[in-house]
Amino acid sequence: MGKSKGRASSSGLAASLLPDTPGTVPVVGFGGYHGASRVEPAALLPSSSADPDGPVRLPPDVDGEVLQHLRRLGRKDPTTKLKALSTLSMLFAQKPGEEVVQIVPQWAFEYKRLLLDYNRDVRRATNDTMSSLVTAVKKGLAPHLKSLMGPWWFSQFDPAVEVAQAARRSFEAAFPQSDRRLDALMLCVKETFLYLNENLKLTTQALSDKVTPMDELEDMHQRVISSSLLAMATLIDIVLGVKLQSDGGDSANTERKSHSKVRSATLSSAEAALSMHKYFIDFLKSKGAVIRSAAYTLLTSYIKYVPHVFNEEAMKILSPTLLGAFNEKDPLCHSSMWDTVLVFSRRFPEAWSYCNVRKVVLNRFWNFLQNGCYGSKQASYPLIVQFLECIPPKEVAAEQFAFEFLQNLWAGRNQRQLSAADSLAFFIAFKQSFLWLLKNVPRNSVGDSSDYIRNRLITNVLVKMVWHDYLQLSLSKNLDAVLSLLSEEATTDDHQPYHKKSLLVPNLRQPIYYYQDLGKCMAEILDALSVTESPLLEVACESLLRDYLDIVQQGEKLSKFQDHVGQLVSFFRSLDLLVLQNGRTWPLENLARPLVEHSLPAIKSMDSPSLIELLLVLVEIFGPAPLFLKNSEKNDDKSYVEPYLNLFNTDFVPWCLDGKYSTCSSKIDLLLALIQEECFFDQWCLIIKYTGAKQKRVVENKTSHTNDQFELLTLILQKVRERIASGKLKNLQRSGSLPEHWRHDLLDSVSVSVFCDLPATDSHVHFLCAALGGSSQDDQICFLSAEAVCKIRGSILKSLASVLIASTFEWTKSSHFLLLPVEHEHFKILGEQSLSANFEMAQFAFQVFERSLFALRIHDEESVFSHILAALFIIEWECSMALTLAEESDLKGHKEEINTEALRCNSSDDHLDEAVHLKAKLAEHIHAFRQSLIPSFWNDLHSGTLNRLVNILAQSVRYAVFDTIDLPIDRTAVLCSEWVVDMLRLICLDHIKLQSFYDILLSEGEYWPLWVKPLQNGHASVKIQHEPVTTDNPELKHQQFIAFVDKLVLNLSFGEVILAPASSFSRAWVAAEMICTWKWKGGSAFSSFLPSLLQYMKTEPCLDVSFVSLLLDTLLEGALMHESSDWALFNAWHLSYSEIEKIQDRYLRALVALLFTTYTKESILRESDAHVLFEQLLSNLFIGSTVNRKCLRTLPFVMSTIIKPLTEKMRSNEASSCSDLLGKSMLSWLDEATSCLSSSPREAAQQDIEDWMQVVLSCFPVKITGGSRKLVVQFEREISDAETSLLLTLFSRYQTFYASADPSLSSRETMLLRDRSLSYSIESFTRTWCSPPLLLDEFSQVKDSVYADETFTVSVNRSAYEIIATYKKEETGIDLVIRLPSSYPLRHVDVECTRSLGISEVKCRKWLLSLTSFVRNQNGAIAEAIRTWKNNFDKEFEGVEECPICYSILHTSNHSLPRLACKTCKHKFHGACLYKWFSTSNKSTCPLCQTPF
């Protein structure tokens, strides 16, 4: 956007919306410039004034809003103009055309003015508005077209692209068809020329007022002038360049006449413009480049279409200006300048006579070339030859012309660094110019000097300037020779320094593309000479060869010797691409073969890598036989083969296979390039045999030497592999194109013998890898036979397995036997070797295997490859165990005493011995190699290979777990599980192979499993092993494997290791074995294994039903078959991990733990599984009519785990078959328990009663909170009325049963329970279900059967569970309170004396004890005890003496009086008391006086 110094008027917008006088438009002008008439007279109403510049009256119906915005276009502020134009554009589109056409005159005036505006956005918007206007008015534009066409056409050449495009769009909107646009332009040609001429007369000051900044005015002036010049030039091209197509007829004649009229008008207008502006010379001299460029363009149009205006006067004026235009330094003008110069010189060849050619034209042209065309290389260089053809022949014939031109042209390349495009344009121009001069110099020379000049052009220019520049030779060397050219040239003083200056330009290092273009230019010039000027070609080639031989002779003395030879190599490659592929033979005959003939001895003696590379390139381009043997390409009878073989064997094989180490690689490349297809096998045999005969020769090297033939063979094979892989064996299309063509018996024998040639070196490794190949998946090139590869695989396996012999772990011996089952003698030999020798062999074998992996994998269905892979895993595992053992030894302090000799050993770590160091180093390399193998490697292995691999690894892990005794069990388990995890992560087995691996890993063995064994028929069932296999220390080995499986499950997942998802055989027996084992070092069923099972069941809700049912069946079967121990201490109501720990039977404990974890605690187990288990228990509960005691003992444990979840279903009224079956079963069990108590104590089995009571207790779970004093009991399920009735009956009979067997047995049995949790549970159950009705019954009996009298009263406090007995006799009395416990009758009844009157403390204590004894010995009959106690008081007051043994008058059981008296002391005793005294004291004496009774 242009700049705008003005600003909008400060007056409001409303003040300018309406004109001062309706129907008038104020005078609008700028800077005195009025352009064409403001309006068309025909389009306006009569003016009130005769002044044509006065106000114009528009029709009264012109829209006022349009007039407002037209008036706003006169503001200086560009923003105001843009808004007004935008609004006008919308208004033009909205209003009818009849309205819009009335303001066209005023718009025309504003349009002309706005197109000259400084702001480009204003100019673009003006043309956009013009598009809207012409679209609206359509044909209404015709009366005003001539006044609009000039500015309209002018605007289409605006330097701002967006403005010019907007102008063209508006023009196309008015005239959509191209022929209509041409007609409109021709119709208005005079008016357009008039408008453009007026623009060309404008000055800077005439464009605007004085307020506009000068820089804006200058920009505006340059734009107006340049656009006007271009518009005029294009107008001439279009109008005068149109050719009418005549089809005959009257219309054609009319059209021809019309077109002739237009041409005449155009010519006259053009002539007038040329005369008016004095041949536009002032514009050619303008300071503005855009104006000069436009002026050149306009003159080109004049020269093409109005040539008659260039008379002699014009020639005198224009000839020096146009032919001498090369002093134009602005690249912007060069394109139009070249067009003008070339058109002018071709159209008017006589124009050269009107100026001094050398001074005005050539000197300026030389300067133009020297300065690199002042930056217009890509535009100027392609036109140079065209300009040379326009120069008068007499000027070209001058001897110095060609040299001056080429030197100045050559000098221009160094003015600034050439871009790639500039470089290409320059060398194309140089080639064309050089060939043009060679062609035209003889034609224009006099006498015999033509050949001399041409030869000098070849030697002095092409060779000494161009060729030396290409070779990067110093220019100063040939400066005198080139300067000698000037001594023979008649040059002016003012232009000689240009040549000297150009030659003294330093030879700077150019970009790579520069030398590529230069070499291509040189090659194309020589190829052109071979077609037309063969003598000149010979001259050029001889000069090139002399320079080459001079370089070879000086050799390393040249500072840039390598660069010079490298350029030669590049040049021949350019020849190959540009010339040889077109069938040319001159590069071979004139350059390559003479070069080799003259320089081969020097090349062999110098032994330079760059020269060898040059020779190699020549061989690759021309072929070995044509290059070294003349006429070999012409002999079709292959007679050249024998002499070529002789040359190859005598000259090249010894030279290429001996010499400097630095050139060895290049010479082997050369040697392989010399192999011809016709004699391939003979040449390859010569090479192999020579290396075999070479044996151990020292190869000269500055720093190192090759010590055997392996390095040389390695290099040869690597080169062959590279050529086969890259397809560079152009000379070997049949023989030698495949790897098997290069195989040789000598290669096989040397490769196989490497493993016997110890100690092996890196050269051995490199040789074997080069022979085998296979370093990557794509490298399938192997130079050894299948038999040799098989032998190498076997040697690698033996070498790797030798490491395991040196191990101190027993399990590695077993693994070694898996790898090499029949290598007994080899095992013995390796065992006798030193430790370092074994590791050296293993390290060597591993390096070969690592670098040739994919070659050794071929035919991997053989077992050797899988054994090698397995050996790598086992070696790394053994090393990790050795390092772990060393760490464990350090922690235990086993190395506290280190002798002096050990301290002085050359070890980097004092804690590790030599073996561990060697193992660690090898294992580190193996680990890195294994980690580098991508999954596709394992997936691509043969199925048999993978199966053998995982089989060996699984067996090896088992050996390591069972046979490792040096490490703790938990450390061994962690280590071995990490091996398995790492192996599985790396190999990525599919599901079938993975489960096969686990089947082998977890298969039955001597020490595993101990408790549960799988059947061998493949079904998911198990058999119980009642006793472990009797072996040496089986428990320890079993514990080791159990710990390993536990860690494996933790590191992988329960589903992967145990469940075997999607498999027909799940390893439920493994889970059963783990739970039955219960505890092991580093874990237990509760702490690790069961949580893993639980986590898997949570994440996999669709767990295989068969697995869970099979696991439950297994454990239940074990519990029923195995003889369980006492379980009386188990608390079924407070089930927890600690309670389960008390179960001694491992199968029952495992079953309860599984059910508790999955069903009771987490409720993950399905109800169907619990239902099946419950049915199995019921089916095994009775064998006929006899109770299965094992099942009966198991039942409460199972019920304690499944009762709560099942009863929750019953509580939520979710009826199910399981809940119905459970309800019926509990009722039947209550009946069974009650029936056991129906017999007399002597007839009933005590164990049956306890078992059934445990079953009953397990069926009625309670939730107990609080301590022993404040127990809060909440029942876990609803108890039915039938169950309540049976429970009351059961506990009533339970009390009666034990009371009849032993008084108050129920209370004593409860007190004897040592398990507090169980006693709380029983007490809570009794308090809730049994005590309330019993207490109610006791209170009722007391009130109904105890009768009060004047001496005795009884009262009952049911809320406090108290009975208060008051006894009064005469002046004595006593109050006794009997407190019944809430868990009556399990707890004792307490008796307390709250008040006594007239009774001694001793007597009071005796009566209190008496009542307590009565209460506790009446089997809970409180009323009977009170009556007995009252009768006892009555007797005492009657004077009856109490029994000295029980302190009671009435006996507590039989209520008898003391009748048996001692004859000595006269005291009377109860018979029962006395009998008990005799039986317990073993005496028959009186308890008081000790007299025999």
Side-chain angles (χ1 to χ4, degrees), residues 861-1066:
E861 62 272 12
E862 300 177 3
S863 62
V864 178
F865 186 76
S866 60
H867 287 198
I868 294 174
L869 291 173
L872 296 179
F873 279 94
I874 296 171
I875 290 172
E876 184 179 349
W877 292 351
E878 194 275 342
C879 176
S880 66
M881 183 170 283
L883 292 174
T884 304
L885 179 60
E887 294 174 359
E888 290 289 332
S889 299
D890 289 345
L891 293 175
K892 294 179 180 179
H894 288 175
K895 293 191 175 182
E896 292 179 355
E897 297 179 0
I898 304 176
N899 54 35
T900 307
E901 182 179 357
L903 287 172
R904 291 197 297 266
C905 68
N906 294 324
S907 174
S908 62
D909 189 350
D910 294 338
H911 296 94
L912 304 179
D913 57 10
E914 179 186 6
V916 177
H917 276 297
L918 294 173
K919 290 177 184 178
K921 182 179 179 181
L922 179 60
E924 182 181 357
H925 294 160
I926 292 175
H927 180 76
F929 164 70
R930 288 199 303 107
Q931 297 301 318
S932 66
L933 296 177
I934 58 178
S936 61
F937 169 80
W938 304 101
N939 296 334
D940 294 341
L941 287 179
H942 189 272
S943 177
T945 301
L946 206 54
N947 289 335
R948 285 188 294 271
L949 171 62
V950 297
N951 192 342
I952 295 174
L953 295 180
Q955 294 289 352
S956 298
V957 172
R958 287 173 61 90
Y959 291 147
V961 174
F962 284 123
D963 298 340
T964 300
I965 59 175
D966 302 317
L967 286 174
I969 293 177
D970 53 340
R971 291 290 289 154
T972 303
V974 170
L975 195 61
C976 293
S977 64
E978 289 175 351
W979 297 349
V980 175
V981 172
D982 177 69
M983 183 269 292
L984 294 179
R985 180 188 58 80
L986 184 66
I987 297 181
C988 298
L989 299 172
D990 60 28
H991 175 74
I992 296 176
K993 289 185 173 61
L994 179 63
Q995 296 309 318
S996 176
F997 167 78
Y998 284 126
D999 288 341
I1000 298 172
L1001 182 66
L1002 304 175
S1003 61
E1004 182 181 1
E1006 184 179 3
Y1007 309 108
W1008 155 272
L1010 286 183
W1011 317 114
V1012 182
K1013 285 198 171 185
L1015 294 177
Q1016 300 301 321
N1017 57 4
H1019 295 292
S1021 59
V1022 298
K1023 61 179 180 178
I1024 302 301
Q1025 178 172 303
H1026 296 284
E1027 297 295 336
V1029 179
T1030 304
T1031 57
D1032 295 335
N1033 200 13
E1035 288 284 353
L1036 176 61
K1037 294 182 180 294
H1038 179 263
Q1039 284 278 320
Q1040 289 176 328
F1041 202 80
I1042 284 288
F1044 162 70
V1045 176
D1046 180 47
K1047 297 301 180 185
L1048 199 61
V1049 171
L1050 290 175
N1051 291 334
L1052 294 171
S1053 72
F1054 181 89
E1056 180 177 334
V1057 180
I1058 304 298
L1059 187 59
S1063 175
S1064 60
F1065 176 65
S1066 61

Side-chain angles (χ1 to χ4, degrees), residues 1204 1207-1208 1211 1261-1264 1274-1278:
K1204 291 183 180 180
T1207 53
E1208 287 179 359
R1211 182 186 304 171
V1262 294
K1263 181 178 181 182
I1264 303 171
Q1274 295 177 351
F1275 286 92
E1276 298 289 338
R1277 72 179 185 90
E1278 296 292 336

Side-chain angles (χ1 to χ4, degrees), residues 1110-1178:
L1110 181 59
L1111 183 57
L1112 291 173
D1113 290 346
T1114 302
L1115 297 177
L1116 179 59
E1117 184 182 358
L1120 297 179
M1121 293 177 62
H1122 194 263
E1123 186 66 33
S1124 60
S1125 58
D1126 188 18
W1127 43 263
L1129 296 180
F1130 178 77
N1131 186 355
W1133 288 346
H1134 295 274
L1135 197 59
S1136 63
Y1137 290 146
S1138 59
E1139 288 295 326
I1140 297 175
E1141 288 275 2
K1142 298 175 183 179
I1143 304 176
Q1144 299 301 315
D1145 182 81
R1146 64 178 65 253
Y1147 301 103
L1148 182 56
R1149 179 177 57 206
L1151 177 62
V1152 175
L1154 179 61
L1155 290 171
F1156 175 70
T1157 303
T1158 61
Y1159 198 52
T1160 305
K1161 188 176 181 181
E1162 295 291 343
S1163 299
I1164 296 178
L1165 190 67
R1166 285 185 287 266
E1167 181 182 350
S1168 58
D1169 296 326
H1171 189 187
V1172 171
L1173 179 66
F1174 184 65
E1175 288 181 337
Q1176 289 179 348
L1177 279 170
L1178 292 180

Side-chain angles (χ1 to χ4, degrees), residues 29 57 116 324 371 376 532 653 692 1475:
R57 294 182 178 273
L116 303 182
N371 288 279
S376 63
T532 58
V653 172
Y1475 175 77

Side-chain angles (χ1 to χ4, degrees), residues 1226-1239 1244 1248-1249 1252-1253 1256 1282-1283 1285-1294 1297:
M1226 287 190 293
L1227 292 176
S1228 65
W1229 295 340
L1230 285 171
D1231 289 335
E1232 288 291 337
T1234 305
S1235 63
C1236 288
L1237 295 171
S1238 299
S1239 304
D1248 287 346
I1249 296 174
W1252 280 111
M1253 288 300 294
V1256 171
E1283 290 173 337
S1285 176
L1286 288 173
L1287 281 172
L1288 291 174
T1289 303
L1290 174 64
F1291 277 89
S1292 176
R1293 293 189 180 184
Y1294 185 83
F1297 177 85

